[in-house]
Each structure stands twice: as C-alpha cells, then as structure tokens.
Amino acid sequence: MADGEVKEADENSDVTFKSMGLIDPLLEACANLKFLKPTPIQAQSIPYALQGRDIIGLAQTGSGKTAAFALPVLQNLYKNPSTLYCVVMAPTRELAYQISETFEGLGAGMGLRCAVIVGGMDMMSQSIALSRKPHVIVATPGRLMDHLENTKGFSLRGLKYLILDEADRLLDMDFGPSIDKILKVIPKERNTFLFSATMTTKVEKLQRASLSNPVRVAVSSKYSTVKTLIQTYLFFPFKHKDTYLVYLCNELAGNTFIIFARTCNDTQRIAILLRNLGFGAIPLHGQLSQTARLGALNKFKSGSRSILVATDVAARGLDIPSVDVVLNYDIPQDSKAYIHRVGRTARAGRSGKSISLVTQYDLELFLRIEAVMGIKLKEYPVDKEAAMLLNERVGEAQREAVVLMKEQHSGRNDKKGGFANKRKRGDDREER
C-alpha cells in the first residue's frame, strides 16, 4: 500500500490473533487479558507491523490501539532479544502508566522489563530504572529529554521501535521541540508507529519527519459517539450551577461519575464541595503530585470513590472500565473534546449516560458542538422545585469549600515550586 492511502478497518472482520501470525506466548497473554478478538485497528495494523512497515493509525481512544502497537513490538523482541528495544511517547503521565501496564501484561511470559519515565517523579529512581536496561520505555517527551541530557550512560542508540501515541495531543501540549530533539538522536534505521485521533497539520509534519513509507490505517475518519450512549443536557441560570450538579448527584446516587471541569481550581473546589455534602468525590488534575494523581485514579477504579472530578487530563486515553455517567460541568471548547469526554462511558458495548450542564453563557459553544456532530441532544428531565430545595445547603458547602481552598493555596504558596503561577493561569499542562 502506498503512503497516503488509507485502509479503513473492517468492523466485521473474521481475523483472529492466531491467523495474524502471533506467537504462542502472545496468544496466551491475549487470552489471559481477555483479548478474545482483534479490534478493527488491531486487525488492520498488526499484519503490516509484523512485516516491518511503519504505521500511521487513525484511531480514537478505546479502540484497542495500545495492543495494536505492543503486540508486534513484543513479537519481534521475542525473536530478536535486545535491551532498550522500544520507546513509547505519551502526552500524559496517567496514559504512560496505562501503556506500561498493557506491555507488562502482554509480555509477562517473556520476562519483559518496562520503565515509566514521566515528570513529577524522582529523577534518581528513574535513572536507576534506566540502568537496569529495560526493553521498553514509556515516557513523556520532556522527561525523556531530561534523561538524555543529564543521565550518564543513557542513550537511545540501539532503539528499534519508536511509538508516538496520541500524537495530536502530544503536539497540542507543546511537546514538539522535545520530540524534534529526540528524533535527532535516535537511529534512522528503526520502525515508527504514529497513532492519532486526528490527522492535523502538525501531525502531518511530524509524520513526514519521522516515518518511512508508512501504511495508514483508519478505524473511523468521522468523530461520533457510540449508540449505547444516552446524551442529554440541562439548561438553567449560571448562579444555580452547583445546585443542579448536587441535584444530579443525588438523583443518580449509586452510579459512578466522572465530572469534567475546565480548570484545576474548579476541579479541586467541586471535589471539596461534594465531599462536604457527603459524596465520595476525588479530584484529578495536572497540579496534583503524580502520587496523588495515581492514587485518585486507583481509588476511583477500585470503587472506593464513586465520583472522579477531573480536567481534560482524564478525557483521553485512560481506560476506566466502568463509568456510568459523564457530567460536563463546563462545556468543552469543541466537539472533539466533547466526544473524548463522553467516551469515558458506554465503553465495550455497555450503556452509559452523559449530561451537559448548560447556562446562558454556554449556549454558543453547546449549539456549535451539536451542529458539528449533527445531533440534537434531549433535555434531561428535572424537578426544579426539588433542585431549589438544595440551594441553602449547597450555599453552606460552597462557603466551606472556599475557606478550605484558601487554606490549601496559602500552604502550597509557601512551598518552593511555582504552584501559584500555574494556578493563576488556571491551565492543566503537564510538567516535563
């Protein structure tokens, strides 16, 4: 297949992992992980990858793309044992850890050594992990570049595979300069897999710089939501936003929620507000320490917390098996972000709900998202009188949350680091 030609993945393919030529240890690992049948992106990309071709995979989150690149790498590593065989670059720390878990699960019978190199963690312990000669490194680009420049004896000279996962997001998060530097110090004779939800101009440029005669494989070129997702909205005045949020959490008690907010500050505030009202809520955003972020994810995954309040750091890539409801506290900036958020529920054939909270200030964004997606969302049925009965108690919880937030901020501002400057920006960029 020529470069530029796109192979659309077939949903009804009868391809099996065995028919694609995977070796017995990997077939056994797939069975252990309950990977019973290749997903469309796996069925189309793995055979080309096993032939030694570079791959561009146009696939959205939840499509099974991690195994699509991990299986060919592990098969070739099994046949040609070597240290530091593959580097995977990911945009967020959480996604890096998740990719590592998939590699370790699939490579368990092969004695695979995998290292995660991300910001927010101790450089020295990472240097020790690198000195143990891992087969696979999963990293955020900035921290990987830090080690290339500062860790004695570490290089990527023997690299056989480079994988860029969520490439569109890697470039949106300003990792481009670090990626350019890394591309200059790795072997030209290698295989490169680039996976992206969209083929943006930046991704096209990166493809030309890093891939050789690649095969393009697309699961779907159109952004869409799954049929098992029930999408609704709730319209009300801005001043009652927290009240309606609490009303919905009460109405849907017993479900697991992800609540998406725009800023780190609001994410923290909402989690405190809900905890003040007796809900098991926990925040996840880019200004938490890596330990706190992983702890929040694990508590939510294990069920010890039923509500995860998050920025878009949790919108893409993360595989959280059972989420019943996605609540858009803030309307996302575009339809792509909306689809990534609501894609956290109704996964793997299960049903799910999404509810978007729309105020008078959100109408333009909300109508634009509906227009791009070509759908009209239904209004969520609500008892307004019952909601307003919560107003006074919610007001008290808001005041308590503000006091606690001020205490937390003053405590953090006393520490070294620049937390205050990040907080003032209200953004959620990853540290190196």
Side-chain angles (χ1 to χ4, degrees):
M1 182 184 299
D3 181 14
E5 186 180 346
V6 178
K7 177 71 175 172
E8 286 285 346
D10 182 5
E11 292 283 351
N12 301 311
S13 172
D14 56 0
V15 172
T16 65
F17 287 117
K18 188 170 185 176
S19 71
M20 288 191 292
L22 290 182
I23 56 177
D24 288 341
L26 292 179
L27 293 175
E28 189 177 327
C30 287
N32 290 339
L33 294 175
K34 304 291 189 261
F35 295 174
L36 303 179
K37 183 183 177 185
T39 65
I41 191 68
Q42 292 164 5
Q44 290 295 345
S45 62
I46 289 174
Y48 288 111
L50 290 175
Q51 292 169 18
R53 297 289 299 274
D54 283 2
I55 304 287
I56 299 171
L58 300 179
Q60 296 171 32
T61 181
S63 60
K65 56 187 170 58
T66 305
F69 58 70
L71 286 167
V73 168
L74 291 173
Q75 175 134 326
N76 285 319
L77 175 62
Y78 186 85
K79 292 179 177 178
N80 306 286
S82 172
T83 55
L84 192 43
Y85 201 71
C86 171
V87 164
V88 184
M89 286 196 273
T92 68
R93 306 168 198 170
E94 286 76 19
L95 182 54
Y97 279 99
Q98 185 174 290
I99 292 168
S100 172
E101 287 170 7
T102 301
F103 265 99
E104 287 169 352
L106 290 170
M110 300 167 48
L112 181 77
R113 294 189 302 277
C114 193
V116 180
I117 305 299
V118 296
M121 302 298 274
D122 178 55
M123 283 277 287
M124 184 57 69
S125 60
Q126 290 178 353
S127 298
I128 292 168
L130 292 174
S131 72
R132 291 176 181 150
K133 307 294 183 187
H135 302 106
V136 175
I137 294 172
V138 189
T140 48
R143 180 51 65 94
L144 181 63
M145 198 64 225
D146 283 348
H147 280 286
L148 284 169
E149 291 173 343
N150 301 308
T151 299
K152 190 175 180 181
F154 173 59
S155 80
L156 300 176
R157 284 192 294 270
L159 193 69
K160 301 293 188 296
Y161 281 91
L162 174 68
I163 297 166
L164 300 154
D165 194 18
E166 303 275 5
D168 50 345
R169 196 169 177 207
L170 277 169
L171 297 171
D172 285 345
M173 294 173 72
D174 298 328
F175 281 131
S178 293
I179 294 171
D180 289 342
K181 288 179 183 177
I182 291 164
L183 288 174
K184 288 175 182 173
V185 299
I186 60 176
K188 286 188 166 52
E189 292 297 318
R190 65 172 193 273
N191 279 115
T192 306
F193 301 157
L194 184 153
F195 283 83
S196 181
T198 54
M199 186 51 73
T200 64
T201 306
K202 287 181 180 177
V203 175
E204 286 275 10
K205 188 177 177 184
L206 179 59
Q207 170 217 316
R208 290 194 294 272
S210 59
L211 280 78
S212 172
N213 188 29
V215 176
R216 292 197 189 197
V217 178
V219 169
S220 173
S221 56
K222 182 183 177 185
Y223 273 89
S224 59
T225 53
V226 296
K227 293 176 182 176
T228 52
L229 174 65
I230 301 167
Q231 302 175 74
T232 56
Y233 73 94
L234 193 52
F235 183 67
F236 49 80
F238 175 79
K239 64 181 179 180
H240 297 315
K241 196 169 188 178
D242 285 347
T243 300
Y244 276 98
L245 174 68
V246 173
Y247 169 82
L248 289 171
C249 290
N250 271 329
E251 284 290 297
L252 297 167
N255 289 285
T256 53
F257 289 80
I258 297 183
I259 298 170
F260 282 106
R262 188 168 295 130
T263 67
C264 301
N265 198 68
D266 259 346
T267 302
Q268 195 76 23
R269 184 189 66 80
I270 293 165
I272 294 169
L273 170 75
L274 292 175
R275 282 206 297 263
N276 287 343
L277 293 166
F279 295 99
I282 193 161
L284 175 64
H285 56 77
Q287 291 173 10
L288 294 171
S289 70
Q290 186 58 37
T291 304
R293 287 163 67 167
L294 291 174
L297 262 182
N298 290 334
K299 285 177 183 175
F300 185 65
K301 284 182 175 182
S302 69
S304 65
R305 297 289 186 277
S306 59
I307 300 175
L308 182 70
V309 190
T311 57
D312 281 327
V313 75
R316 282 175 66 167
L318 298 187
D319 184 20
I320 302 168
S322 180
V323 178
D324 301 314
V325 183
V326 167
L327 273 171
N328 285 311
Y329 180 84
D330 292 313
I331 300 300
Q333 295 297 309
D334 55 51
S335 59
K336 288 188 287 186
Y338 173 86
I339 287 168
H340 283 303
R341 286 184 180 187
V342 300
R344 299 303 93 209
T345 186
R347 295 170 75 84
R350 291 186 291 267
S351 60
K353 295 185 181 75
S354 72
I355 307 170
S356 296
L357 304 188
V358 184
T359 73
Q360 67 269 34
Y361 305 116
D362 305 311
L363 271 175
E364 185 181 347
L365 269 178
F366 178 70
L367 292 172
R368 193 186 306 154
I369 288 169
E370 280 192 328
V372 171
M373 293 175 58
I375 60 172
K376 294 294 287 183
L377 270 61
K378 292 181 179 178
E379 189 163 9
Y380 186 86
V382 62
D383 183 340
K384 292 184 179 179
E385 287 186 11
M388 288 302 100
L389 288 175
L390 298 168
N391 233 352
E392 188 175 341
R393 181 69 192 99
V394 171
E396 290 174 11
Q398 285 174 324
R399 288 188 287 276
E400 292 168 12
V402 168
V403 171
L404 187 54
M405 288 283 286
K406 284 180 179 175
E407 290 174 0
Q408 289 179 349
H409 286 160
S410 63
R412 283 170 180 153
N413 287 340
D414 288 340
K415 293 179 182 178
K416 254 185 166 181
F419 174 88
N421 291 332
K422 280 183 79 178
R423 178 170 55 81
K424 284 174 186 173
R425 288 202 311 266
D427 64 15
D428 193 36
R429 291 183 187 174
E430 293 285 315
E431 295 174 41
R432 283 187 176 275

